C-alpha cells in the first residue's frame, strides 16, 4: 500500500466514481483502475462493487475511508511541519463550520490570523449539524471545526475550546410589523410571520417553543440555507430568530434587531482533532485561544 493508492481511493469516494476522479486527478482512467485493483489485491478485499460502468463502495471500502483520511492527513501534517521549520510560514487551515459560527467568530478569527500569519490561507467547508462537524474531524476530512450548540459541548475523540455564547435576537425589515420593546417578549410574537430553519436546529426550536406556548404565529418560509434567511427578511417576507452573530450584518443592511425574552443562547466552540495539527491549524488555534467576544467589534 502506498500514499498514491489511498489518494486515488479517496478521490473516487469524494468525486462519486472512477471517471470523475480520473479527471480531477489528471490521470488516465485505466491507470486509476489498475492502482485500485492493486490496492484491493494487497488488502485482500474488494473496495468497490463494479456495476456496469459505475462503482459502489463495498462494506470494506466504507471501513477504509476513515483510516485512509487519517493517513493522508498525518502525512500532510508532517510535510507542512517541515516546511514551517524551514521558514516557509505558509499553509492552509482546513476547517468545517456551521452557518452561524461561519459568520462570527470565523470572520474575526480569520482577520486576526491574517494579521499574524499573512501567508496562511483559511479553507472553510460547510456543515449543518454538530454531528457533521465532529465526524468530519474524526475522519480526518478537516482539522478544525466551528460548532454551535444549545449548551456546552462534550465530544469524545476531539478537543473542544469554548469561544462564546451568542444570544438569539429577533430580526425584521425596517418597515416590518415589529413587536415593541427590547427585549421582545416571546408572547409578543403572536400574529407574526416568521422565516425559520428546518426542524432540528436550535433556531427552529425557539420558534417551536413559542408555538407550543400557544402563540398564533405563521411560518411563511422554511429555509435550509441560513444565508438565505437575512435576504428574505430584508425583502419583507417575515421576521426571523437568529444568533447575534448575524446582528451586525443585519443592522448594516438597515434591519431592526432586538433581543428576545426569555433569552436563549448558541454556545460556540472550536473543535480540533486530537492528533498532531499542521502548523497552520496550530496558528489558528492559538488565535482562537486569545479570542474574546468583543474582538469582532474591531472588524
Amino acid at each position: 500500500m502506498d500514499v498514491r493508492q489511498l489518494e486515488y481511493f479517496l478521490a473516487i469516494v469524494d468525486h462519486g466514481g472512477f471517471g470523475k476522479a480520473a479527471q480531477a486527478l489528471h490521470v488516465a482512467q485505466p491507470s486509476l483502475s489498475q492502482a485500485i485493483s492493486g490496492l484491493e489485491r494487497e488488502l485482500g478485499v474488494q473496495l468497490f462493487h463494479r456495476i456496469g460502468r459505475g462503482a459502489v463502495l463495498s462494506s470494506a471500502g466504507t471501513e477504509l475511508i476513515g483510516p485512509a483520511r487519517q493517513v493522508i492527513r498525518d502525512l500532510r501534517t508532517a510535510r507542512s511541519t517541515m516546511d514551517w521549520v524551514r521558514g516557509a510560514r505558509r499553509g492552509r487551515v482546513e476547517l468545517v463550520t456551521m452557518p452561524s459560527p461561519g459568520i462570527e467568530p470565523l470572520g474575526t478569527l480569520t482577520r486576526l490570523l491574517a494579521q499574524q500569519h499573512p501567508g496562511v490561507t483559511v479553507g472553510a467547508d460547510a456543515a449543518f449539524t454538530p454531528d457533521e462537524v465532529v465526524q468530519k474531524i474524526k475522519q480526518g476530512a478537516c482539522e478544525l471545526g466551528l460548532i454551535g450548540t444549545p449548551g456546552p459541548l462534550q465530544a469524545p475523540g476531539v478537543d473542544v475550546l469554548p469561544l462564546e455564547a451568542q444570544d438569539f435576537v429577533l430580526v425584521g425589515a425596517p418597515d416590518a410589523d415589529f413587536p415593541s420593546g427590547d427585549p421582545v417578549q416571546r408572547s409578543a410574537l403572536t400574529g407574526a410571520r416568521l422565516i425559520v430553519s428546518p426542524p432540528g436546529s436550535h433556531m427552529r426550536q425557539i420558534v417551536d417553543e413559542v408555538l407550543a406556548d400557544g402563540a398564533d404565529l405563521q411560518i411563511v418560509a422554511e429555509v435550509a440555507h441560513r444565508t438565505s434567511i437575512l435576504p428574505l427578511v430584508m425583502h419583507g417576507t417575515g421576521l426571523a430568530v437568529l444568533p447575534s452573530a448575524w446582528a451586525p450584518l443585519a443592522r448594516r443592511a438597515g434591519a431592526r434587531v432586538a433581543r428576545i425574552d426569555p433569552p436563549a443562547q448558541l454556545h460556540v466552540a472550536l473543535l480540533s482533532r486530537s492528533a498532531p495539527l499542521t502548523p497552520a491549524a496550530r496558528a489558528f488555534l492559538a488565535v482562537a485561544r486569545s479570542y474574546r467576544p468583543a474582538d469582532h467589534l474591531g472588524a
Side-chain angles (χ1 to χ4, degrees):
M1 183 188 313
D2 61 38
V3 176
R4 179 180 59 87
Q5 289 173 313
L6 293 179
E7 289 175 337
Y8 283 5
F9 166 73
L10 290 175
I12 296 166
V13 172
D14 292 338
H15 293 281
F18 281 73
K20 291 182 179 179
Q23 293 177 1
L25 293 167
H26 303 291
V27 299
Q29 186 168 334
S31 298
L32 180 63
S33 298
Q34 289 173 9
I36 296 302
S37 296
L39 179 60
E40 290 176 322
R41 285 195 301 272
E42 185 169 349
L43 295 176
V45 296
Q46 188 174 4
L47 299 175
F48 297 95
H49 298 299
R50 277 69 169 181
I51 302 175
R53 294 186 177 182
V56 178
L57 266 173
S58 68
S59 58
T62 300
E63 291 296 324
L64 181 61
I65 293 174
R69 291 200 193 281
Q70 292 290 356
V71 169
I72 300 301
R73 175 66 59 194
D74 288 340
L75 286 171
R76 288 177 183 171
T77 299
R79 290 168 181 155
S80 297
T81 301
M82 293 302 97
D83 289 341
W84 202 271
V85 168
R86 291 201 311 269
R89 294 293 191 265
R90 298 184 179 277
R92 179 181 174 89
V93 180
E94 294 184 353
L95 63 82
V96 57
T97 180
M98 292 176 64
S100 292
I103 300 296
E104 284 293 347
L106 178 62
T108 296
L109 293 174
T110 302
R111 172 175 60 84
L112 296 174
L113 179 71
Q115 291 172 351
Q116 298 178 25
H117 300 281
V120 173
T121 300
V122 174
D125 197 1
F128 289 95
T129 68
D131 285 344
E132 285 183 72
V133 176
V134 171
Q135 289 307 311
K136 281 180 177 287
I137 293 174
K138 284 185 174 182
Q139 293 171 0
C142 297
E143 292 188 276
L144 305 175
L146 280 168
I147 198 167
T149 53
L153 177 73
Q154 292 184 342
V158 297
D159 295 331
V160 181
L161 175 65
L163 294 177
E164 64 182 343
Q166 300 177 2
D167 292 328
F168 278 88
V169 296
L170 185 67
V171 180
D175 55 351
D177 187 6
F178 200 87
S180 61
D182 187 1
V184 170
Q185 298 297 315
R186 295 193 189 190
S187 58
L189 293 176
T190 296
R193 295 163 53 85
L194 287 179
I195 303 161
V196 301
S197 55
S201 68
H202 193 19
M203 293 159 55
R204 176 60 176 270
Q205 179 183 337
I206 295 170
V207 175
D208 288 343
E209 288 172 356
V210 175
L211 283 167
D213 288 339
D216 182 18
L217 56 82
Q218 181 184 0
I219 294 176
V220 295
E222 184 177 285
V223 183
H225 292 284
R226 310 297 200 275
T227 50
S228 299
I229 294 179
L230 185 56
L232 286 170
V233 168
M234 296 309 296
H235 278 293
T237 305
L239 310 179
V241 175
L242 293 167
S244 58
W246 295 86
L249 285 175
R251 289 191 178 100
R252 284 198 290 270
R256 300 176 65 180
V257 178
R259 296 166 294 162
I260 58 174
D261 188 44
Q265 291 185 321
L266 183 74
H267 292 258
V268 178
L270 179 66
L271 310 186
S272 57
R273 73 187 198 123
S274 299
L277 301 174
T278 61
R282 292 201 304 270
F284 190 95
L285 188 58
V287 168
R289 288 195 176 107
S290 63
Y291 170 79
R292 299 294 179 268
D295 288 347
H296 71 87
L297 298 176

